[in-house]
Each structure stands twice: as structure tokens, then as C-alpha cells.
Amino acid sequence: MVPFFEPVAVMQAIDRHQVSATMLVPTMIQMLLDHPQLADHDLSSLSHLIYGGSPISLGVLERATARLPNVSFTQSYGMTELSPAATLLGREDHAARRKLTSGGRAAPHTEVRICDPDGNPVAHGTVGEIIVRGPNVMRGYWNKPEETAAAVRDGWMHTGDAGYLDDEGYLYVVDRIKDMIVTGGENVYSAEVENALSLHPAVAACAVIALPDERWGERVHAVVVLAPDQSVTTDELQQHVKSMIAGFKTPRSIDFLDELPLSGAGKILKRELRARYARQLAGS
């Protein structure tokens, strides 16, 4: 067992014990790929990597498949309340490079739907709340009947995640509903902007959040960690994003940090980023 994630400790464990399969969250994969000691360890025993816990950017996934060419990948989307998997994007989909930005299709034991705020199913391609039904759905939150009633309705777990299903049943997770950015009356989902940013070679990791804006209500703000020995300007990143997605989705402001705040499980803590900027704005 590796008691907590640390890139060198994980690489040493794989090398020493000839580990063939492991599970990591996307930020862990990114830190592993960018570590200067990656080439110093023998990871050839690794044949299967499962990832999940948060959406993975296309840039990180493409780097992972390029640097670990003998590893097959499986993505799992879910949450603790779902014990924990709801959908799977299997090895075959990764090998064919199909649907790489999706979370896969419903696992054999689950049903997945997209619903509107009233709980009604919406058409394929329409963004709504992801809800899941199956024997894996939790019985409830301990001693929290009101929270349980709000989350589990008629057997369906309301995840709080926004997403859509395509015509083949592949799920695309676009944001936490509470994290959606509304700028100038337009909805912007952070995952789409993060995907575009991640495809720039200078970007190692990024997070997109909303900041208050007097003109637009909210503005798209990006926080970027640069790849080793790379440099890029705000304008260059903005032009890169504009070449890939609609102009109103382009970050109006970008900050560069040495690292992003992470939870113990390796997830990016956007609430800490928002709190940091709220303190800055309050002090200005």
C-alpha cells in the first residue's frame, strides 16, 4: 500500500512490485507524467490504468496514452453515493480514440438519465442533471433525512452534476451544476474550457471558475499550472482557446500558479480557488 499519493512513491511501488493495474484520479496522472523522474523508473509492468473521481482533460489523456503506450485505460464516472461507479468508458473506446471526452456508457448494473430541474427526462444532446438508478444507489445519508430525500427521489440518485447523453448512450459530464458559469446570459461549462486549455503544450494543469464581473455578471477565469520549462502569455492562451470554442467561453482573465489546491483524494478544490479570489476581492 502507498499510504498517500506522491509521484515518486507510486513509481517506486510500480517498479519494485511490478504492478500491473492501478487506479488514479486525473490530477495524479498529470503529476506522474510531468515528474522529472518518470524516465528513471521501470513502469513496463503496468498494463491497465483506471481513472475517475473528476473529469479528465483531453490534453492530459492524450499525453498519458502517448507516454504510456502499453497501458490500456478505463474511465469510471460515479460518486461515493453510487458505490461508486455509474458509467464506464472501456479499453476498446480508448484504443479506437472514440468518445474520449465522455465518461462512457451506463455500467451493467445502472440506469443513467438526464433530467431537467423538474426531474423530467430531456432529449439526447441536451444538458441537464445526471441521475442514476440501480442497486448501487445508497440507502441514505446517516441521520440526515432531509438531505437524503433531496438527493434520492423515486430510487434515482440526483448527482448534482450537469451533463448530456449522445445518441449512442455515452455520457458527457460538463460541470457541477453549482459551478456553471453564466456570463452575459450565456451558460459556460468549465470542462469545455479546461479541455481547450489543456491542449496547449505549455499547460500542465488548469481549472476554470466564475468570478464576479460588473459588466457580464460573471466572467470566465482560468488558473493555469505550466508544464516544466514552458512559458506562454495570457493573450496566447486566449487566442488558442478562441480557435477551438466560442469566443464568449474564452477566459477573460488567467492567473498562473505553481500548483492547484487538491483534496486528499487528488481532486482540484475549486471552492478553495473561489474562496481565495473572494478574499482578494474583499480586500481590494
Side-chain angles (χ1 to χ4, degrees), residues 233-251:
T233 66
T234 294
D235 182 66
E236 287 170 341
L237 280 181
Q238 288 171 330
Q239 293 305 315
H240 166 77
V241 173
K242 282 181 181 178
S243 71
M244 303 184 68
I245 59 177
F248 70 86
K249 300 176 182 180
T250 300

Side-chain angles (χ1 to χ4, degrees), residues 8-19 40-45:
V8 173
V10 170
M11 289 186 284
Q12 288 175 341
I14 295 172
D15 190 342
R16 181 181 304 118
H17 301 291
Q18 292 295 284
V19 173
D40 298 334
H41 295 84
D42 180 10
L43 307 186
S44 61
S45 65

Side-chain angles (χ1 to χ4, degrees), residues 148-244:
T148 298
V152 184
R153 292 172 246 164
D154 298 323
W156 290 91
M157 179 70 207
H158 288 247
T159 66
D161 288 331
Y164 66 92
L165 290 168
D166 68 12
D167 291 337
E168 296 179 81
Y170 285 82
L171 175 69
Y172 294 78
V173 183
V174 297
D175 219 336
R176 290 290 292 171
I177 291 174
K178 63 183 180 181
D179 290 345
M180 184 181 72
I181 304 165
V182 182
T183 180
E186 298 281 359
N187 294 344
V188 177
Y189 300 105
S190 61
E192 184 180 13
V193 187
E194 289 162 355
N195 270 330
L197 282 166
S198 75
L199 291 172
H200 193 285
V203 175
C206 61
V208 170
I209 61 173
L211 290 184
D213 188 277
E214 291 184 1
R215 179 178 180 184
W216 303 103
E218 292 180 332
R219 74 173 184 269
V220 181
H221 178 76
V223 183
V224 170
V225 176
L226 293 178
D229 302 319
Q230 294 287 330
S231 63
V232 68
T233 66
T234 294
D235 182 66
E236 287 170 341
L237 280 181
Q238 288 171 330
Q239 293 305 315
H240 166 77
V241 173
K242 282 181 181 178
S243 71
M244 303 184 68

Side-chain angles (χ1 to χ4, degrees), residues 42-94:
D42 180 10
L43 307 186
S44 61
S45 65
L46 193 63
S47 61
H48 190 204
L49 197 159
I50 304 170
Y51 62 94
S54 63
I56 191 168
S57 67
L58 190 56
V60 170
L61 184 54
E62 289 184 341
R63 286 161 53 206
T65 55
R67 300 201 67 177
L68 301 171
N70 298 320
V71 176
S72 63
F73 292 81
T74 296
Q75 180 178 175
S76 173
Y77 162 75
M79 58 197 305
T80 302
E81 292 90 333
L82 296 174
S83 311
T87 68
L88 295 168
L89 186 73
R91 304 180 186 191
E92 297 79 10
D93 290 310
H94 284 81

